[in-house]
Amino acid sequence: MPKRGMLIVLSGPSGVGKGTVRKEIFSREDNTFHYSVSMTTRKKRPGEVDGKDYFFVSKEEFEKEIENGGMLEYAKYVDNYYGTPLKYVNEMLDQGKDVFLEIEVKGAMQVREKVPDGLFIFLTPPDLMELRQRIINRGTDDLATIDKRMEKAVGEIEMMQNYDYAVVNDEVPKAAEKIQTIIRAERWRVKRFLPDYKKQLGLDDDQQ
Ligand SMILES: Nc1nc2c(ncn2[C@@H]2O[C@H](COP(=O)(O)OP(=O)(O)O)[C@@H](O)[C@H]2O)c(=O)[nH]1
Ligand SMILES: Nc1ncnc2c1ncn2[C@@H]1O[C@H](COP(=O)(O)OP(=O)(O)O)[C@@H](O)[C@H]1O
């Protein structure tokens, strides 16, 4: 059986640039990660593709998935559900592939409970005014929603301490580079040290 893949979780406040940085990482030729497409009840934005950006479903369909135990994690965010379908993540990890999640902080903490050996990276804005400006520039929210997102952002940024790493999204290529470096370093660390620990603990590969 192949070694289980690594689960990488990129999180942070809405509007910080998670989607932008993730797309930058995935556009690079050397990308080997598998993106887990989330499920949501929010409306499709112009240009978004069902099954690529999100699986767009109704509230009833989403709640049925939750009931059936089909979600690795989920959260209600500004009146909509967002969640990670469990099946794809498990299948990829079992095949030894590295899976990349881009999710908000409540969901990330649920994943932390379930997959403690995942790699948790927090993307943070240079400052709050810049975050507000980015949400305004994106042009997808009215002023009331922007205020709701900003209120939430303060609490979300406090969650930074629960992550393995924090990366400032000042410039997109730089932030993408830092995240790739962290993942490479973590991979190397696990590859380099895990066999030693296993030997010391008298475990063979299959027992871990
Ligand atoms: N918990 C959780 N959050 C998600 C998931 N997919 C997306 N999100 C987050 O939900 C929030 C709102 O997403 P969205 O409406 O697409 O806005 P955007 O990501 O800010 O463009 C963002 O912080 C997303 O990262 C998911 O599967 N689970
Ligand atoms: N480093 C950056 N500098 C300036 N603008 C950025 C940067 N990263 C992202 N943005 C812009 O900020 C807005 C929010 O980015 P997005 O990726 O949708 O955030 P998130 O997925 O975290 O909600 C978008 O308009 C995006 O183009």
Side-chain angles (χ1 to χ4, degrees):
M1 245 195 16
K3 258 205 183 80
R4 228 169 127 77
M6 190 191 271
L7 183 64
I8 300 144
V9 179
L10 180 66
S11 191
S14 173
V16 67
K18 297 184 294 297
T20 309
V21 171
R22 184 251 307 166
K23 281 179 191 147
E24 168 76 19
I25 293 171
F26 276 75
S27 73
R28 295 187 172 182
E29 256 180 22
D30 58 352
N31 176 62
T32 56
F33 311 133
H34 294 259
Y35 178 59
S36 159
V37 178
S38 296
M39 194 176 274
T40 186
T41 57
R42 92 143 156 71
K43 287 210 173 65
K44 198 156 61 154
R45 293 177 186 152
E48 283 184 331
V49 179
D50 189 30
K52 182 167 173 273
D53 296 290
Y54 282 104
F55 295 107
F56 294 96
V57 298
S58 67
K59 188 166 169 269
E60 291 69 33
E61 285 172 297
F62 200 107
E63 286 174 347
K64 206 160 172 207
E65 275 303 320
I66 299 172
E67 252 174 57
N68 294 341
M71 306 308 283
L72 169 63
E73 60 74 34
Y74 70 91
K76 215 166 189 180
Y77 186 90
V78 193
D79 303 332
N80 280 304
Y81 282 120
Y82 294 85
T84 304
L86 181 61
K87 193 165 172 267
Y88 176 83
V89 173
N90 264 342
E91 281 175 6
M92 288 295 128
L93 292 178
D94 282 346
Q95 289 172 30
K97 293 177 176 149
D98 297 333
V99 179
F100 195 103
L101 306 187
E102 179 223 308
I103 59 179
E104 56 70 61
V105 294
K106 271 189 282 171
M109 289 303 103
Q110 293 170 39
V111 181
R112 175 124 240 182
E113 291 281 310
K114 290 187 182 167
V115 191
D117 62 351
L119 176 59
F120 293 80
I121 303 173
F122 189 88
L123 195 65
T124 183
D127 58 63
L128 281 180
M129 285 320 290
E130 172 65 20
L131 179 63
R132 188 183 172 82
Q133 199 50 54
R134 284 183 192 175
I135 300 175
I136 293 170
N137 291 350
R138 186 171 61 187
T140 51
D141 299 294
D142 56 33
L143 272 181
T145 310
I146 291 172
D147 284 341
K148 271 198 205 167
R149 284 186 187 267
M150 285 306 295
E151 256 172 55
K152 277 184 94 86
V154 176
E156 288 172 342
I157 290 172
E158 279 175 19
M159 298 298 284
M160 196 193 305
Q161 57 192 326
N162 299 314
Y163 288 74
D164 300 314
Y165 294 90
V167 170
V168 178
N169 180 18
D170 39 14
E171 288 167 41
V172 175
K174 266 204 223 161
E177 194 63 45
K178 283 182 209 157
I179 290 168
Q180 285 180 312
T181 304
I182 288 169
I183 297 169
R184 270 197 294 269
E186 282 292 318
R187 256 214 211 101
W188 183 85
R189 190 177 67 84
V190 170
K191 226 165 64 188
R192 165 73 183 78
F193 292 110
L194 207 56
D196 288 349
Y197 291 138
K198 281 184 183 166
K199 223 181 275 164
Q200 284 171 25
L201 294 167
L203 296 171
D204 61 40
D205 259 10
D206 291 339
Q207 284 175 286
Q208 266 282 309

